[in-house]
Amino acid sequence: MRKGAISRDGVFKALTEYDELGQDGFLSKYGYKPATGYFLLHEERTYDSKAIAGVAHKFDQGRALKPDELSGGRSHAARWLARLGFTIRSSRSPDWTRDEIILACDLAMANGWKRLEFDDPRVIELSALLQAMPIHPEELRNELFRNPNGVARKTVDITCRHPDYRGKPTNGNVLDVEVMNDFLARPTEMAKVALRIRQGLVAGEFQELSPEAEEEDDFSAPEGRLLLGRHRSRERNKALRKRKIDAVVGEGRQLACESCGFDFEQIYGDRGRGYIECHHVVPLHEAGEGRTRLSDLALICANCHRMIHRRAPWPTPGELRASIEQKHADDRRAAAVLARPRRAADEQMPNL
Ligand SMILES: [Zn+2]
Ligand SMILES: [Zn+2]
């Protein structure tokens, strides 16, 4: 759902219809299942928040949203309703994000991949840290949010998926296993990632991240959203980009993509003059809070930039250039191969 798609007025109309049809009637009319996570509180009654948001869309935009059109996570229905000023009650804690699981895995690894108890000082410390994280909006938390019990339980979910664990695993989620596998494959690097996230949280440097920056869903974030957001905000820093561009132009070099050679001015004329994006080439977990040097930035066109961030691990601009060249070479070879047998086949095939 895009910003502004539903209004308070639309929500009130949905609430009225809900009251008229009753919960069952309302949910079945629009194909929603009863909510398990978030509820809207209005005049001492509770409503299924996702269904309400989806139906409010009908009053505002002419069409109710189907359940699968409302995404989970940060941009979910409950958050939209909270932004419109409605009271949301959550019956369970929001799902753990990659950033949070990274910190929990780091703790589990430091403990030899053994579970930790809720009264362990390290668990209590992590609980406080997670509660201070800016990932989950306050309005979607309940009083149990990331308490020491929940954190301890997470270490159970993680450690019982470890390859050495002998016993029946709990119902953890796929993300736990994914992040743990990252730790098993690259323990030193992932420990550094965890350390950077911790340092950033303590220094309060993630607070400035805009929710819009977090919502770039097609950007891979193996190191978590917080470090990615930090990375992106540096890349979008206008003053920094201008300095980089001025330096390159000052050296008499062409303002072209370091991966594919695209030159915005060459294609778009005046409108493209002086335009290029910057990509920060230092890995997220290596880039500390020190000043960004111009040599940390690569000039890159918008397409190549997207392609770099699309999947982890991110290629360097040089690696991306090599893969573009490889693709060209493969295409030329394939075209040459295709050209040959087609002629031979043409001679043998009777006319149809
Ligand atoms: Zn390019
Ligand atoms: Zn980038």
Side-chain angles (χ1 to χ4, degrees):
M1 189 155 58
R2 66 177 169 74
K3 217 174 187 167
I6 58 173
S7 68
R8 275 183 71 83
D9 196 41
V11 173
F12 282 125
K13 286 181 180 151
L15 293 174
T16 306
E17 189 177 355
Y18 190 106
D19 288 339
E20 283 165 11
L21 298 175
Q23 184 190 26
D24 289 349
F26 186 81
L27 294 180
S28 65
K29 177 174 176 186
Y30 294 104
Y32 281 80
K33 290 198 190 80
T36 52
Y38 298 105
F39 300 89
L40 187 155
L41 276 185
H42 179 60
E43 291 176 352
E44 306 195 3
R45 303 183 63 165
T46 55
Y47 299 82
D48 303 66
S49 62
K50 190 172 162 182
I52 290 292
V55 176
H57 196 268
K58 177 179 86 168
F59 295 111
D60 285 312
Q61 308 294 334
R63 182 180 72 86
L65 294 176
K66 297 188 191 77
D68 59 4
E69 288 179 284
L70 281 162
S71 64
R74 251 168 302 279
S75 53
H76 61 51
R79 180 131 197 227
W80 286 100
L81 295 168
R83 280 179 185 163
L84 288 173
F86 292 96
T87 307
I88 299 299
R89 203 187 67 195
S90 63
S91 62
R92 59 178 171 86
S93 285
D95 290 342
W96 285 61
T97 60
R98 180 176 282 270
D99 293 82
E100 296 171 291
I101 299 172
I102 287 173
L103 295 184
C105 270
D106 185 50
L107 184 53
M109 183 168 75
N111 200 41
W113 296 107
K114 299 272 183 301
R115 65 180 288 180
L116 289 98
E117 300 298 331
F118 74 95
D119 52 0
D120 188 305
R122 294 168 296 175
V123 167
I124 294 169
E125 189 259 355
L126 180 56
S127 159
L129 198 63
L130 295 173
Q131 288 171 354
M133 253 183 170
I135 289 190
H136 299 288
E138 295 286 339
E139 64 268 21
L140 302 186
R141 302 177 180 193
N142 60 18
E143 63 286 356
L144 302 176
F145 179 76
R146 303 298 180 254
N147 67 6
N149 259 320
V151 174
R153 205 169 337 113
K154 196 49 149 184
T155 69
V156 175
D157 289 343
I158 291 168
T159 53
C160 71
R161 295 302 186 99
H162 190 276
D164 291 344
Y165 181 79
R166 301 276 163 257
K168 201 172 172 299
T170 56
N171 297 324
N173 69 44
V174 276
L175 200 52
D176 294 345
V177 179
E178 227 177 86
V179 177
M180 182 181 65
N181 286 338
D182 285 345
F183 271 84
L184 295 178
R186 306 173 276 138
T188 324
E189 192 184 318
M190 291 307 288
K192 266 194 208 165
V193 170
L195 181 66
R196 278 289 305 126
I197 295 175
R198 277 176 171 274
Q199 287 170 342
L201 284 171
V202 171
E205 69 192 44
F206 298 130
Q207 305 294 342
E208 71 199 54
L209 294 181
S210 70
E212 284 70 27
E214 295 168 25
E215 281 165 15
E216 287 180 308
D217 280 334
D218 51 349
F219 278 65
S220 66
E223 301 182 327
R225 293 227 150 250
L226 295 178
L227 294 189
L228 175 67
R230 194 81 195 105
H231 172 90
R232 296 288 293 146
S233 79
R234 284 181 184 197
E235 293 186 334
R236 278 194 284 239
N237 180 321
K238 280 199 184 118
L240 211 56
R241 201 173 77 201
K242 183 172 186 310
R243 272 183 34 224
K244 175 74 183 180
I245 290 174
D246 289 349
V248 170
V249 172
E251 288 165 19
R253 283 159 57 200
Q254 186 196 1
L255 212 52
C257 174
E258 292 180 25
S259 290
C260 74
F262 190 92
D263 178 328
F264 282 84
E265 185 178 0
Q266 225 169 56
I267 301 296
Y268 298 108
D270 255 8
R271 179 176 288 269
R273 182 176 304 148
Y275 185 81
I276 194 108
E277 295 190 3
C278 281
H279 171 62
H280 197 288
V281 293
V282 182
L284 274 55
H285 59 277
E286 303 283 359
E289 269 320 278
R291 267 182 52 174
T292 304
R293 289 169 305 185
L294 291 189
S295 57
D296 296 341
L297 297 174
L299 296 181
I300 206 94
C301 77
N303 276 348
C304 288
H305 203 178
R306 282 261 151 179
M307 289 301 108
I308 286 175
H309 285 282
R310 188 164 185 227
R311 251 198 313 272
W314 298 342
T316 63
E319 285 165 350
L320 188 67
R321 185 177 56 235
S323 68
I324 294 171
E325 283 163 4
Q326 183 64 49
K327 171 86 171 72
H328 276 304
D330 290 349
D331 286 351
R332 274 198 300 275
R333 210 169 305 123
V337 170
L338 265 177
R340 258 177 278 132
R342 199 190 297 136
R343 269 200 298 278
D346 283 349
E347 283 157 18
Q348 286 163 15
M349 289 287 278
N351 280 335
L352 293 174

